Amino acid sequence: MHRGMVLLWVLAIAVSVSTLSFAQTPTSSSLDVYVIDVEGGNATLFVSPSHESLLIDTGNAGAAAVRDAGRIVEAVEEARLQHIDHLITTHWHGDHFGGMAELASKVEIREFIDHGPNIQPGEAADTFLGKIYPQLYATAKHTVVKAGDKISMAGLDVRVVTSAGETIKTPLPGAGMANPYCANFKPGENNAEDPQSVGVYIAFGKFRTVHLGDLTKNKEFELMCPNNRIGVVDVLLGLHHGQASSNSEVLVHALHPRVAIMNNGTGKGGEPEVMKTVHSSPGLEDLWQLHFSLLSGQEYTVSGMFIANTIDDQQPTMPITPMPAPQPGPGAPPAPLHNGKAYWIKL
């Protein structure tokens, strides 16, 4: 096993499987995807066969920024990258943009991509956008994308399917069939910024994947109903950390993923409602998680071989039934500390 890596083998879907060789050349026949452990935030790195790179999000803010940026740098070095060609910040929550400044001090970022202004006022995001972010992209390219835009990457078809609260109106090639799950949809609650998420669909040969940031149920409905505008995918990435404000059947079941990879934390995501939806998704072969979730307990979790990081703060006993999710806000308990090496999942 490589340092900091769990290798996910997805077979028979026309994408070359990455090997465990250190002698990676500047070009290859594979699309490599690193789902990096940033403790319940998000950082997902794509490396194309032409060695062009796309990073989605940069992990957590505050004291965790140095840690998360360092973990991203490890994946960048593992991929033999000299720079990051494209950085998408899905939305302006601290667990998605928090490590950006620290990362930019260590790795050149050539294009910064986002949905535009923050619409959920908050001191951390507004200070970052007003004082720090403009300095980061001052010597690079800054792109505000809208639904329907394409991001140019040789060998890949990268399409923005959601951004700034809008979704694509025209189905992707091969999509557009009526979605049978729309009839039973139940709206959910959400904050202001999650529905603004930049969501991307990536095609490589016959392989299809989608990462929708923290897109919430109501926007999932707009994207997928009455017709499924995405089609089916091989791998569903992110899943909003496995939180129940997202991951409706109209999305998960209609996408019909073979594999799902959840960017959860020990005490964040993996909630029972989501786990039941994912586990019951037609055609699902495997669910992978970055962490064992106390919110799933043993009742809804997957086998340990599908969890990259199984132990954080050791509990006196392993929970069988799910623990209740901590209430958000300033009085929320701190997340469990990660003990030992952090592992990513490599697709």
Side-chain angles (χ1 to χ4, degrees):
M1 181 181 294
H2 273 196
R3 175 193 61 197
M5 179 179 72
V6 171
L7 187 67
L8 168 58
W9 300 86
V10 180
L11 303 178
I13 49 178
V15 58
S16 298
V17 179
S18 178
T19 68
L20 295 182
S21 170
F22 281 98
Q24 182 172 339
T25 58
T27 59
S28 69
S29 60
S30 67
L31 167 64
D32 295 335
V33 185
Y34 297 79
V35 183
I36 302 164
D37 175 28
V38 288
E39 305 292 336
N42 182 64
T44 306
L45 176 66
F46 299 80
V47 183
S48 75
S50 63
H51 220 56
E52 195 170 356
S53 55
L54 168 66
L55 176 65
I56 302 179
D57 292 330
T58 53
N60 290 280
V66 173
R67 176 200 68 197
D68 290 355
R71 292 179 182 180
I72 297 169
V73 168
E74 286 186 5
V76 167
E77 293 174 346
E78 168 74 21
R80 299 290 193 264
L81 297 175
Q82 302 301 313
H83 57 266
I84 294 170
D85 293 290
H86 316 278
L87 168 62
I88 294 175
T89 300
T90 57
H91 61 295
W92 302 116
H93 282 163
D95 55 337
H96 291 259
F97 75 82
M100 189 192 306
E102 182 70 24
L103 179 65
S105 71
K106 301 178 182 299
V107 180
E108 178 190 1
I109 301 171
R110 295 188 170 180
E111 182 181 20
F112 294 80
I113 300 170
D114 58 68
H115 71 66
N118 174 41
I119 68 165
Q120 184 180 340
E123 181 179 353
D126 293 338
T127 298
F128 176 83
L129 288 171
K131 298 181 178 180
I132 300 173
Y133 193 44
Q135 298 177 20
L136 298 181
Y137 63 69
T139 57
K141 182 180 180 181
H142 177 219
T143 304
V144 175
V145 290
K146 60 183 183 300
D149 286 352
K150 291 187 177 183
I151 297 172
S152 179
M153 291 185 71
L156 304 182
D157 182 7
V158 184
R159 305 191 184 210
V160 178
V161 295
T162 66
S163 182
E166 299 294 327
T167 67
I168 56 172
K169 307 306 180 189
T170 302
L172 298 175
M177 299 295 289
N179 186 343
Y181 301 101
C182 297
N184 296 323
F185 175 76
K186 296 180 180 179
E189 297 181 356
N190 52 251
N191 56 47
E193 256 300 295
D194 283 344
Q196 305 296 306
S197 290
V198 176
V200 293
Y201 166 93
I202 298 176
F204 170 54
K206 295 181 179 180
F207 174 77
R208 304 287 185 269
T209 187
V210 66
H211 193 304
L212 299 176
D214 285 0
L215 198 73
T216 51
K217 286 180 176 178
N218 298 340
K219 288 299 175 183
E220 292 173 354
F221 181 84
E222 290 183 27
L223 177 64
M224 302 295 287
C225 292
N227 293 62
N228 175 354
R229 301 187 192 112
I230 301 297
V232 299
V233 300
D234 297 290
V235 178
L236 173 58
L237 293 167
L239 293 96
H240 190 175
H241 322 293
Q243 297 193 100
S245 57
S246 303
N247 302 297
S248 60
E249 289 186 359
V250 300
L251 179 83
V252 178
H253 288 200
L255 290 177
H256 207 272
R258 291 183 56 191
V259 172
I261 306 177
M262 184 181 293
N263 58 1
N264 67 305
T266 301
K268 181 179 180 181
E271 297 172 17
E273 177 184 333
V274 175
M275 300 299 281
K276 287 186 282 189
T277 299
V278 176
H279 282 309
S280 63
S281 183
L284 186 80
E285 299 175 23
D286 294 316
L287 167 63
W288 291 71
Q289 299 174 213
L290 279 178
H291 284 267
F292 173 81
S293 172
L294 297 172
L295 278 57
S296 299
Q298 296 178 56
E299 188 171 359
Y300 296 104
T301 196
V302 297
S303 169
M305 67 178 292
F306 296 100
I307 302 175
N309 301 283
T310 56
I311 298 175
D312 291 288
D313 275 352
Q314 182 64 54
Q315 304 296 310
T317 59
M318 294 297 286
I320 296 176
T321 57
M323 293 175 60
Q327 294 299 310
L337 296 175
H338 189 109
N339 297 323
K341 179 66 69 177
Y343 293 96
W344 60 61
I345 295 172
K346 183 179 180 183
L347 164 65

